[in-house]
Amino acid sequence: MDKTQAFQLIARDVVEGHIDFPTNVQVSLRLRDALSDPDCHVDKAARLVEAEPLLAARIVALANSVAYNPYAREISDLRSAISRLGFAALRSLSMALVARQMAGGALPVACQAIADQLWQHTAHVAALSRVIARRVTGVDPEAALFAGLMHEVAGFYLLAKSPAYPGLLDGDFAEWIEVGERQVGEPLLQALAIPENVLAAIEVYWDGYLGMPPAGLGDTLLLAEQLSPVSSPLHRIGSGNKFPGIDAEIEVLVGEALLTEILAESQGEVASLYAALCF
């Protein structure tokens, strides 16, 4: 079976609802659904999150990051952390845990190494997306954070399925980029009930065409992808990357400031966000 056939089979299973989520992913999805309930208040959210110690730790860390704590007023309890972040960021973190858990567990060592790099890349892109949204493109920073956390979810699912398809991760990932990522990603994102604006942004990312000057959620995600210091291990083709025509040091004039100046000013914010997102 070639890779394209394997992608078709994986995508067909997703479309038909045959999604093999580990038990811990199912728990995290139930948490996401509970947090979406308009009657869910902070106390209830705190009790739900307490059942996921890893998520609880990341919530407190994110609440104390420069992005959410510019005045350095550190907190240590979960309820205060949730109050500071808000439910939008909380749902984003719960879905980030879903993505990370997909490729967890008993994967081969080589596959786990890919998963670790993919998560480092995801965390960098999410952190940069939030800063770029706030400082450059003017879109909702929380939506940008969420888009960054979700933009490689199909890749994590690919890694989870790879033991059932020998040779799927061999060689480069040209076929994944050209065919598989969108083929698997679209039904998977729909199955995960990803909001339409975020799904549209990820489709812009799959297309790979960055508008100049960048505007909108899709461009925010693309620019963050290009500026990430850790590349996606699934987007390598030979020695290049997914966007060989875009200079990683590109200067974008925004108001009276250049992109590199804005990123330099935001270095601490990006670093603290990245650290908080490292599950």
Side-chain angles (χ1 to χ4, degrees):
M1 180 187 302
D2 63 27
K3 291 184 181 181
T4 300
Q5 290 174 317
F7 299 149
Q8 290 172 344
L9 289 175
I10 294 170
R12 187 190 65 188
D13 285 344
V14 174
V15 170
E16 293 177 353
H18 306 308
I19 306 176
D20 297 325
F21 285 147
T23 301
N24 54 0
V25 170
Q26 294 173 7
V27 171
S28 297
L29 286 172
R30 286 197 293 270
L31 172 61
R32 185 276 311 268
D33 293 342
L35 292 172
S36 299
D37 185 344
D39 293 327
C40 183
H41 49 74
V42 172
D43 289 332
K44 180 180 179 181
R47 289 196 300 272
L48 291 169
V49 171
E50 283 171 351
E52 286 282 1
L54 182 60
L55 179 61
R58 294 302 90 203
I59 287 170
V60 174
L62 189 65
N64 286 317
S65 69
V66 174
Y68 293 92
N69 184 29
Y71 302 110
R73 296 170 182 166
E74 190 166 315
I75 55 179
S76 58
D77 67 287
L78 190 56
R79 188 185 187 284
S80 297
I82 292 172
S83 295
R84 177 179 286 177
L85 291 176
F87 275 25
L90 191 57
R91 284 191 293 270
S92 292
L93 275 179
S94 67
M95 288 303 293
L97 184 59
V98 166
R100 191 68 180 94
Q101 288 170 331
M102 278 185 191
L107 289 177
V109 174
C111 187
Q112 191 59 60
I114 295 176
D116 290 343
Q117 182 180 338
L118 190 61
W119 185 252
Q120 292 175 36
H121 169 75
T122 296
H124 274 296
V125 171
L128 284 163
S129 292
R130 190 180 189 279
V131 168
I132 291 168
R134 191 171 59 82
R135 299 289 304 273
V136 178
T137 56
V139 299
D140 179 3
E142 300 309 325
L145 177 75
F146 187 47
L149 290 170
M150 290 291 101
H151 84 288
E152 287 281 10
V153 71
F156 284 106
Y157 193 69
L158 174 74
L159 296 178
K161 299 294 291 183
S162 63
Y165 297 91
L168 192 61
L169 302 181
D170 293 345
D172 66 25
F173 292 94
E175 290 168 278
W176 172 247
I177 296 168
E178 294 167 6
V179 180
E181 188 169 37
R182 188 185 295 267
Q183 192 173 51
V184 174
E186 285 183 343
L188 182 62
L189 289 168
Q190 290 169 358
L192 292 171
I194 301 303
E196 286 296 325
N197 65 327
V198 173
L199 203 151
I202 295 174
E203 289 177 341
V204 171
Y205 158 72
W206 288 333
D207 290 336
Y209 296 106
L210 176 64
M212 293 299 293
L217 192 55
D219 283 348
T220 300
L221 182 58
L222 267 174
L223 190 54
E225 165 80 16
Q226 184 58 31
L227 294 169
S228 172
V230 178
S231 62
S232 167
L234 299 182
H235 287 162
R236 65 174 187 266
I237 303 178
S239 60
N241 60 27
K242 186 178 181 184
F243 312 109
I246 302 174
D247 183 358
E249 302 299 324
I250 191 169
E251 284 282 23
V252 179
L253 190 64
V254 183
E256 297 180 355
L258 293 170
L259 176 63
T260 50
E261 294 172 358
I262 291 171
L263 292 177
E265 293 171 4
S266 306
Q267 186 175 7
E269 182 177 347
V270 172
S272 67
L273 277 169
Y274 171 75
L277 293 170
C278 284
F279 285 90

